[in-house]
Each structure stands twice: as C-alpha cells, then as structure tokens.
C-alpha cells in the first residue's frame, strides 16, 4: 500500500453521487444532477472538487464512487482517473445505506483493515486542507471502533440542515476535536435552531461518516440483516464474477434492498448506544440546497456590480440590481432594477425568481412534471 | 381609379417605417425594429396591421411605404401585396419630413389631386373601423386645403406623448369632429399633462398627418425650399429614370436632405398660421413605447395567471407573480414570486426587469453598444 505525508493508511473514500437537485433547476436536471455541475465557476464540477479533496487522502486506488447507471458515462468523463473497478453503479436509487454499505462491503473484501469514509459528491468545501485534517482525526477515532461523523461548526441557526448533539470529549491521540455524539436531529425550526446555537453543543450534520468497514458492516448486520446479506452478495459479485454473471445478481438482489438513509439505519441507533463519535470540523461547508444558498457562497468577483455572476461575466449586463445571475445558455442576460433576483439561463429554460423564493423552484419542477415536460426535468 | 364603399377617392396612404425601437429590446433590434414584430401575438406584425388598416381606404395601388434599405427584404416578405414602385428606400435615416415629403412628391406626380395621409408603421390601433372613419373625416377637411392631423382622445395624463391643442370647430361637411389646431406641444411633465386633460382641449399627437399633396409640398417649399427641391428631384428620378440612373441621383441628393421631423418642419409653423386642423380620433391608440406600455395593451388570455404572456403560453410557467412574459426564444420561462416583472426571452438575449423600470432598457442597449456588442443591437 502506498503512503505519503498526506495519504492515510487503510483509508478508503466512498462518494455516493445521487440526488436530482430539483431546487437547482434549470441547471440541475434528472439527467445531469447537481454533482455534475460547476456551480461556482471554479473550473471544476462538484464531483471533481470532491475528488480533488479526497484523492490526496485516499489515492485513486482507494477512492470509490457510487452512482446511478445513467450517470456512469458523465462521471467517467469528468473523472478520468477513477478506476473502473471503483465505480459502483446503481440500477435505481436505494438511498444512502445501500450505496455506502455496498461500497463498504467491496472495500472490506479488498482490505480487512479498511477505514471507510463517505462524503457526498455535491457539497462545497473550499478549504481542502482543513477538511483533510478533520478526516485524519476521524480516521484515528474510527480505528478505535467508533462510527465517526464530522460535525460542522454552525455559523448561523440554519433551518436547512440537521444537527448533531455532542457530549464529552474523547481523548483519542491525534484527534483533539473528537467528542461523543449523543444524538442526531432533523432540520429544526428557527427557534430550535437558535437554541442549538446558544448551547454550543450542536454541529451541522454534513452526512460525513467514517468507520472501520468491519465495524460498519457489523452494525448493519445487527440492525438490518437482510440488507447486509444482500450487499455482501452484491459485493462478492462485483469483485469475483464476470460482468454478465454479476449483472444477473444485481438484477435479482438490487430490487430487494431496503431503502433507508445511513442516518436512520446506523447513525441514530448506534449513537443512542454510545457508539458514535463526532469530530468538529472547523471549515466552511454547504450542501448548496438552493439558489439562495449558492448566491451566498459565490464570491464577489469585483465586477463593481452588486449582482453575483456564476458563469461568463461577458454574458451579463446589470443596472441597479442585486442578486445572482447564472448565464449558462450562451446568451446575454440583462437585468434592470431588481433586488435579490435570481436569473438562471440555460439552453432550454430560464428561471426568474428571488432569493427568498428560491425554495419554490421545486414546485415549478413539479408543475412541469405534471404538464408532461419530462424533457425539462 | 377604383372606388368602393370604403375606398377614398384620391386618398394615398404613406407609411414611414423607421426607428430602432431600442426600448423594446431584446425583441426589437436595429436589423429588425419594432414594426417588423407581432408584439401582441395578434398573428400580424405591426407593419402588417398598419397595412390591413390602410388598404381598404387606399387600395394597394395607393399605399406607399418608406423604409431603410436594410429593411427592404423583410418588408417585402411581410407585405407581398406591396407594389414595387410603392416601396421607397432610404439609404440612411433622414427623419420624417424627408420620408413623407418624398412620398408626397412621388404621389403628386401620379395624381395631382392626391390627398396624402401619413401613418406610422409601428402603432397599435385595434379598431380599424373607427380609425377609417377618422381618416375619412380628415380627407374631407384636407380637400379644403388644411393640413389635418388626427388627435387621439386622451384616456390618461400620459407624459409619453406630445399633445395637440384644439380650437374652434370647423364645420366641414362630412367632418363633424374637425377643429382648428392651435398648437403642438412636446411631451409634458405630469402636472402639465393633468392640466391638459382638465381643459378638455388637448389631444394626443399620434403623428398622423393628412393633406393634399400640393398643399403639403407648397408648405414645404415655403419653409424649407432646398429640402423641397431635393425631394422633387428624387421623386422624378424614382418615377422616370431607370434604376441605375435613379441610384446616382439618390447617392448625390440624399445626403443633402435636411434632417427634420414633419412636426417641426410643417405642423408647428403652419398651425401658428391657422393652417392646421385636427380631427378627434375616438379610438384606442398606442405607440407601444416600452414593455410597460405593451403590458397594458395585452389582453388577459384567461390563463388564470396574473402574468400576461405575449407568445406561446406553453413556454411559460409562473407562480405567485404578476407582469408580462414574452417567450420568443423557444424555451421555457419560469417565474416565481415577482410582481410587475418583465421577462423577454429571445434566441441570443434575455431581459429581466420591472414594468416601472422598463424605460431603462434603452440604457442597457447603450451599455451593450459601448461594449461593442453590435450583434445584440
């Protein structure tokens, strides 16, 4: 096994790349979800940035990606270094436990001492170094047998994220920021979120889980034995069978897998039993839930305009306006006299709304679905 | 000469088709100005609707159109019945006096008893019958030797139009709505416009002038003898010379023509001398100056939405919004949570503004010109 100053021995990264991202329509589509887009005009798509953050820690040999069969080609195009055997394809969405569990089962066959870390393909984390430091601590804690999550220091009482409650510090060598996790919460209302912040005990749940593969599979076997058995069979087929025979197994087993998020399947019950740790992540993070969130995340490019442009500045003319313009239709977008406006221009659809109404984009997508406009979804 | 129940003997219609219509960008462009567009989704462009209103009064034989050389082909495509010899082409814009004067000079050579009526190519007049009735009265008055304008009954104290002040009734047979015109005003401020309305003596100046050709040319000769001489020479060349020789005359004479509006050249000085009449037009009229004006003019198509759509309803999805959407880019336009919004979508540019800021579109066009984006103008 190769090691380097940064690379973590036995650390395997898993990237579940799913979701439709309807709240980022019309850029994000069923056929090209959020993770395939360069939402911030950084020059790299979200899944490419995720790769860039993880590969120094895991090497390409130990970086697996799980995605829908329909996205296989786009992922392959965007990540030419992704190894063939490290791309796991889902015939249909089965939620995060199946995706991560399958990857853990595959990894466990390859490296019985593996520590698996799962990280979404479509989050924004500008500071890769701070992220890597948190992963390093999480791996150190996970090697002791805990399931470890990285909890983000909240910077506002967001109602858009779930929270993790932290308990006592753990005193693990090399992990000064590790605490017991005493509970997970769903997205809170505003008053609750403010209470959470006031206590200082809560972290944002960024869906980052780090665990020894054997520990994760052990919890899965205890909680959901049938799902566990199905995933082991699929992992064996993926590793040992020729493609056409593996396909038969997938066709038979895949539809039987329980659809459940890893939070509900493992994190919550194991946390209740004291088996989950949280490492405090002191880096900025966002899941870019909608255009409003994205508008906050895009730096002012010094255009002298109060409108943030995500794309080619040459395509945008504004006058006395604030907000965000996303010119991706290769056309000129002119905005006059609107505050906190959101304009997203693509080849076949243009969205005009405000930052405060950005969440309602989802309903427009539903309206289009109801009208039979699958071509636009 | 043919006559019918509607056709007016010796009446010749002239349509100056110019202007760039920058306030209706991005639909209206230098290469395809306002008059070439079907702004209201009526099925006919503005110049076609103008033709439709005038041809019953004048017949195609007596309907002339004056436009820029660059628009010759588009006009020909839109008006297949327009006779070749009735299309007068301007090598460069020389304002309305040159355009109308040239047409009057051509018409006078064909019919010394001609009454010429000039009507813009890009105004909206839904009630062609009421319009025809006003023209009929104007012709009756013009035959007595006056220059006649049709003044529109104001329905609001608009600051976007010029006004005509009316004096005594004229008692011309067949023209019960004819009055002396005692003056013309530029666009007034709001307080002045309200005073105008309160007196009941003011009409909107819609730029419609009706006059015997010999009378018009006589006034022109008195006011601007050099312009008059140039136009006579151009008319003779147009009527009597082969094309290549006529082109030589145009090339020599055209650049010498005085650039002046007919209002300043004739209407104002002749009105001061008591030679102008006004016929009250009791029909709705608009020059569709900007997107705000257009939004007011478009009927609610019963979509159940508070957003007016000028174009294919199938291309528009709205939620909790008011305003106007003009989908001309063959793409879906989605609008959420905006009031009095204006969205104009075309192949290479999309405009987003509000009705109250619609006049500032002109400045965006200027900004694009300054950026060297002639392709978008």
């Amino acid at each position: 096994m190769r090691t380097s100053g940064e690379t973590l021995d036995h650390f395997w990264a898993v990237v579940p790349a799913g979701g439709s991202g309807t709240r980022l329509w019309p850029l994000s589509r069923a056929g090209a979800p959020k993770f395939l887009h360069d939402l911030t005009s950084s020059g790299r798509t979200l899944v490419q940035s995720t790769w860039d953050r993880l590969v120094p820690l895991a090497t390409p040999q130990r970086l697996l990606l799980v995605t829908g069969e329909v996205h296989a080609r786009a992922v392959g195009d965007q990540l030419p270094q992704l190894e063939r055997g490290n791309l796991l394809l889902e015939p249909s969405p089965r939620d995060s436990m199946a995706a991560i569990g399958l990857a853990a089962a595959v990894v466990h066959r390859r490296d019985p001492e593996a520590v698996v870390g799962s990280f979404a393909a479509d989050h924004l984390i500008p500071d890769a170094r701070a992220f890597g430091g948190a992963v390093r601590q999480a791996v150190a804690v996970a090697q002791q047998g805990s399931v470890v999550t990285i909890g983000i220091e909240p910077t506002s009482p967001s109602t858009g994220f779930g929270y993790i409650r932290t308990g006592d510090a753990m005193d693990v060598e090399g992990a000064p920021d590790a605490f017991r996790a005493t509970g997970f919460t769903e997205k809170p209302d505003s008053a609750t979120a403010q209470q959470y912040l006031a206590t200082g005990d809560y972290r944002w749940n960024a869906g980052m889980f780090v665990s020894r593969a054997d520990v994760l599979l052990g919890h899965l076997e205890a909680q959901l034995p049938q799902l566990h058995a199905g995933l082991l069979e699929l992992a064996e087929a993926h590793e040992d069978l020729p493609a056409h025979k593996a396909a038969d197994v997938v066709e038979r087993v895949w539809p039987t897998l329980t659809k459940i998020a890893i939070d509900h399947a493992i994190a919550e019950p194991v946390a209740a039993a004291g088996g989950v740790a949280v490492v405090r992540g002191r880096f900025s993070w966002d899941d870019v839930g909608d255009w409003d969130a994205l508008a906050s995340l895009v730096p002012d490019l010094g255009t002298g305009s109060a409108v943030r442009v995500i794309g080619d500045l040459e395509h945008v003319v504004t006058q006395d306006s604030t907000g965000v313009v996303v010119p991706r239709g290769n056309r000129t977008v002119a905005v006059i006299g609107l505050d906190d406006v959101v304009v997203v221009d693509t080849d076949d659809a243009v969205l005009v709304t405000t930052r405060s109404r950005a969440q309602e984009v989802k309903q427009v997508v539903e309206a289009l679905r109801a009208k039979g406009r699958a071509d636009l979804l």
Side-chain angles (χ1 to χ4, degrees), chain A:
Chain A
M1 180 173 296
R2 296 188 295 167
T3 59
S4 79
E6 266 198 279
T7 303
L8 294 162
D9 279 0
H10 299 291
F11 173 66
W12 294 68
V14 173
V15 177
S20 57
T22 53
R23 281 177 301 170
L24 289 171
W25 184 89
L27 195 61
S28 177
R29 306 286 177 102
K34 198 170 101 185
F35 65 86
L36 293 173
H37 294 278
D38 175 10
L39 285 184
T40 59
S41 279
S42 67
R44 300 284 280 169
T45 67
L46 290 175
V47 73
Q48 286 175 324
S49 296
T50 304
W51 171 278
D52 296 346
R53 272 193 304 279
L54 291 170
V55 83
L57 307 171
T59 75
Q61 289 71 42
R62 300 203 306 272
L63 207 166
L64 280 72
L65 191 138
V66 192
T67 194
E69 284 175 355
V70 292
H71 306 311
R73 184 171 177 162
V75 166
D77 288 347
Q78 293 198 3
L79 301 176
Q81 284 190 281
L82 177 64
E83 301 196 351
R84 255 192 111 104
N86 285 0
L87 178 61
L88 306 178
L89 296 179
E90 305 171 302
S92 60
R94 272 287 176 277
D95 218 329
S96 58
M97 189 66 253
I100 297 166
L102 173 60
V106 166
V107 165
H108 187 247
R109 294 181 67 89
R110 297 187 193 172
D111 176 4
E113 293 176 64
V115 172
V116 172
S118 162
F119 307 93
D122 56 4
H123 293 176
L124 268 184
I125 302 171
D127 186 348
R129 179 161 292 274
F131 167 77
V135 172
R136 190 173 298 274
Q137 291 195 42
V139 169
V141 178
Q143 271 163 337
Q144 316 267 317
S146 291
V147 171
V148 189
T149 181
I150 297 174
I152 311 296
E153 287 278 329
T155 54
S156 70
S158 170
T159 58
F161 308 134
Y163 286 72
I164 308 162
R165 187 148 53 91
T166 59
D168 298 334
M170 282 186 69
D171 194 23
V172 175
E173 195 184 330
D177 295 319
F179 295 78
R180 275 289 147 226
T182 58
F184 288 79
T185 73
E186 303 279 331
K187 296 174 185 177
D189 61 28
S190 182
T192 308
Q194 286 179 9
Q195 285 172 19
Y196 287 174
L197 245 67
T199 67
D201 291 339
Y202 287 81
R203 303 288 171 269
W204 286 336
N205 180 0
M208 302 174 183
F209 292 101
V210 179
S211 169
R212 284 206 328 249
D214 62 343
V215 169
L216 190 79
L217 293 168
H219 287 307
L220 185 60
E221 186 172 19
Q223 304 285 341
L224 293 155
Q226 286 197 314
L227 178 56
H228 174 261
L231 293 175
L232 289 200
E233 192 177 355
L234 287 167
E236 183 180 8
H238 181 266
E239 293 292 280
D240 296 343
L241 294 186
H244 69 281
K245 290 199 174 167
D248 289 345
V249 177
V250 169
E251 195 181 339
R252 176 170 50 78
V253 175
W254 193 264
T256 71
L257 302 180
T258 309
K259 248 182 160 166
I260 187 169
I262 189 172
D263 302 68
H264 303 314
I266 289 184
E268 290 165 11
V270 175
V276 176
V278 57
V279 166
R280 291 204 291 200
R282 300 167 187 275
F283 48 84
S284 79
W285 161 90
D286 206 286
D287 72 349
V288 204
D290 57 30
W291 291 112
D292 180 45
L294 187 59
S296 309
L297 296 167
V298 179
D300 182 348
L301 295 174
T303 57
S305 161
V307 173
R308 303 287 164 94
V309 174
I310 308 178
D312 189 346
L313 290 174
E314 280 301 302
H315 284 315
V316 180
V317 184
T318 65
Q319 187 164 307
D320 196 19
S321 299
T322 60
V324 60
V325 174
V326 187
R328 301 292 173 96
N330 201 31
R331 297 180 310 149
T332 292
V333 178
V335 181
I336 303 170
L338 284 159
D339 278 324
D340 281 332
V341 73
V342 173
V343 181
V344 184
D345 183 50
T346 69
D347 285 339
D348 58 358
V350 56
L351 166 72
V352 181
T353 185
T354 61
R355 290 184 57 174
S356 61
R357 308 295 289 266
Q359 297 211 329
E360 295 174 38
V361 171
K362 210 167 178 167
Q363 286 146 253
V364 162
V365 173
E366 287 315 309
L368 288 168
R369 194 188 312 279
K371 285 174 89 174
R373 295 300 304 272
D375 57 311
L376 293 172
L377 305 180

